[in-house]
Amino acid sequence: MPELPEVETVRRSLEPYLPGRRITNIEVRDPRVLVDLTRDELQNLVGQRFTDLQRKGKQLYFPFDRDILFIHLGMTGQLTVRDPRRKDQPFTRQKVTGLERSLQHAVDPHTHISFDLEDGFQLHYRDVRKFGKWRLLPKAELDLHLRRLGPDPLTDEYTLKHFAQALAKTTRDVKAVLLDQSVLAGVGNIYADEALFVAGVRPQREARKLGRERVKRLYEAVRSVLQLGIQNGGTTLRDYIDGQGEAGSNQEMLWVYGRYGQPCRKCGLILRKAVVAQRTSTFCVHCQR
DNA sequence: CATTACCTGCAA
DNA sequence: TTGCAGGTAATG
């Protein structure tokens, strides 16, 4: 599900609800998403208030009094807030689509963690495949933990120099570099394919063989496709919803991801797919070299 | 490097 | 029934 634009959309959509609210109860139904963390340790957050909602790449992190809660949504993680003032929607809407079913938390077998907050608000974590990960780390370990990630492309730590150097020193496929979270944090399979198309670069091109001009185009394409994704509230293919249960619309804007067999939106040639960096990749052999 | 494992649901 | 899916992390 979630790459940088989806995670950022979740973060923003939770922002009006969580900061300042005290946690009154925590229920963990399936502890498998907890990493180096027991149910009891998570209970330490009861009585504390949410403060800032932060993000680096695909990693969400929420500072509390002494510890920081890290949440990675994996492939199918959903973090949603229930607002008691909106009884009618979206959580009790009567549609019967899969997306809507996910909002009936009380009876949903995939909602593994629920927080009760002040004023009747609730925060729910749903994750069908359970690839998501929750960690609780002391504040002192924040830098250590974030340092394992490369720069977030929406910050000014993301520089052409750094990006070019990372590409120049490896024989890997360029797509593998885009997906490497220690090089840059936040690009996954969708936005890697999209950025490569926008830059006119084939995913299987050897990273160090890209010329200066194409490196620069790719550097900028990464940022532009992520920004567009955020602008459109993320890409909803099946599971992704934001913190208020809303789907995104960026799937309507995709140039190539998931469109193999269909005509290229720029030149009309049928898009091809190949496995690159162990992931299905879609590209246009005419527009991408 | 590539492969496998972790999980569940859904479409082919 | 098989293969595939937005994710990492642990193996050879």
Side-chain angles (χ1 to χ4, degrees):
Chain A
M1 164 184 66
E3 305 181 28
L4 188 153
E6 290 74 38
V7 177
E8 174 61 15
T9 304
V10 168
R11 194 197 67 75
R12 290 183 186 181
S13 61
L14 295 176
E15 190 100 73
Y17 297 95
L18 299 188
R21 284 230 155 75
R22 189 188 301 274
I23 300 168
T24 59
N25 187 52
I26 297 176
E27 185 179 355
V28 178
R29 296 176 202 80
D30 188 335
R32 271 181 287 184
V33 296
L34 305 184
V35 177
D36 297 329
L37 177 62
T38 64
R39 281 186 161 94
D40 286 348
E41 288 165 343
L42 191 61
Q43 291 295 328
N44 287 337
L45 296 181
V46 172
Q48 298 186 44
R49 293 178 189 277
F50 280 92
T51 58
D52 296 327
L53 308 183
Q54 311 211 58
R55 179 193 60 77
K56 181 176 183 182
K58 304 171 190 173
Q59 184 74 59
L60 287 166
Y61 58 102
F62 307 151
F64 286 90
D65 296 346
R66 183 182 162 280
D67 296 318
I68 302 181
L69 178 61
F70 286 83
I71 299 177
H72 193 296
L73 300 174
M75 289 278 259
T76 54
Q78 302 171 334
L79 204 52
T80 55
V81 71
R82 184 193 188 298
D83 182 341
R85 297 168 302 193
R86 298 176 65 193
K87 285 196 163 49
D88 43 325
Q89 63 172 350
F91 292 91
T92 54
R93 219 185 277 157
Q94 291 303 306
K95 287 187 207 163
V96 199
T97 64
L99 216 60
E100 297 297 322
R101 207 179 312 134
S102 72
L103 302 174
Q104 299 171 13
H105 300 291
V107 293
D108 181 275
H110 302 298
T111 300
H112 310 307
I113 303 176
S114 295
F115 284 21
D116 291 329
L117 309 173
E118 291 175 311
D119 311 322
F121 287 79
Q122 291 178 320
L123 179 67
H124 294 287
Y125 182 71
R126 179 174 191 269
D127 187 351
V128 170
R129 292 178 70 182
K130 302 186 187 108
F131 287 172
K133 298 194 183 320
W134 285 46
R135 285 172 234 263
L136 193 62
L137 300 178
K139 280 181 171 168
E141 289 175 35
L142 174 64
D143 284 347
L144 190 68
H145 200 249
L146 293 184
R147 231 183 298 139
R148 305 176 319 156
L149 298 173
D152 182 297
L154 301 190
T155 68
D156 51 19
E157 286 169 33
Y158 176 65
T159 62
L160 177 58
K161 190 178 169 194
H162 163 87
F163 183 68
Q165 282 174 352
L167 290 172
K169 71 179 185 199
T170 182
T171 60
R172 305 157 85 191
D173 299 332
V174 60
K175 177 162 176 181
V177 179
L178 292 181
L179 292 174
D180 186 339
Q181 303 299 298
S182 70
V183 173
L184 63 164
V187 174
N189 209 26
I190 297 176
Y191 296 97
D193 275 10
E194 293 298 297
L196 287 162
F197 178 85
V198 169
V201 175
R202 284 195 202 175
Q204 52 276 76
R205 171 109 310 165
E206 192 177 324
R208 62 176 182 178
K209 290 191 175 163
L210 281 177
R212 253 178 204 29
E213 198 49 43
R214 293 151 63 71
V215 167
K216 181 151 190 270
R217 264 193 285 157
L218 186 55
Y219 167 78
E220 284 162 359
V222 164
R223 221 170 18 204
S224 71
V225 299
L226 294 176
Q227 277 164 346
L228 183 65
I230 293 172
Q231 211 174 300
N232 292 309
T235 302
T236 297
L237 301 173
R238 35 183 339 117
D239 297 303
Y240 167 69
I241 52 177
D242 74 10
Q244 295 173 60
E246 300 294 331
S249 65
N250 196 58
Q251 61 279 6
E252 296 161 23
M253 313 293 295
L254 300 176
W255 291 101
V256 289
Y257 179 87
R259 297 191 62 246
Y260 51 82
Q262 298 177 51
C264 173
R265 295 201 146 122
K266 201 179 276 179
C267 78
L269 195 66
I270 296 301
L271 298 173
R272 303 215 355 223
K273 71 168 170 174
V275 175
V276 182
Q278 291 80 249
R279 314 293 298 276
T280 298
S281 306
T282 306
F283 55 96
C284 175
V285 296
H286 175 257
C287 298
Q288 295 171 259
R289 315 271 166 158

